[in-house]
Amino acid sequence: MKISSISILGYGKWSNVEFNQLADFQLIYGGNEAGKSTIMAFIHSILFGFPTKQSTIPRMEPKNKGPYGGKITLTETKLGTVTIERLRGKQPVM
């Protein structure tokens, strides 16, 4: 399984950002407060769900009060290309 793209609608300091064509080994670096840990927390939240309001884990809601969530596209899975998308609020059951 490989993360091929990340699309953030709103998560912490990141808003309307896309990272495409990620390599097999992707290095993310930057100074303090650049958003490295926020990207890691975003990936975790998309894969495993957003923290609840009662959780001790920070929720990283967008600073601009816009949409909360985004999507990740995975390739090389048993099912082929898979897109996982999560947004704030209750989603309709399909």
Side-chain angles (χ1 to χ4, degrees), residues 28-47:
I28 298 174
Y29 67 95
N32 291 340
E33 302 296 319
K36 304 176 298 289
S37 296
T38 305
I39 293 174
M40 184 178 73
F42 173 78
I43 294 169
H44 186 271
S45 292
I46 294 295
L47 294 176

Side-chain angles (χ1 to χ4, degrees), residues 3-21:
I3 298 175
S4 61
S5 71
I6 299 172
S7 178
I8 303 174
L9 290 175
Y11 198 84
K13 73 179 291 176
W14 297 101
S15 179
N16 296 321
V17 178
E18 289 193 23
F19 301 99
N20 296 313
Q21 300 176 351

Side-chain angles (χ1 to χ4, degrees), residues 1-5 71-84:
M1 178 173 64
K2 174 184 166 186
I3 298 175
S4 61
S5 71
K71 64 182 174 181
I72 293 177
T73 303
L74 305 172
T75 57
E76 301 175 17
T77 69
K78 290 181 180 180
L79 301 172
T81 301
V82 176
T83 301
I84 304 170

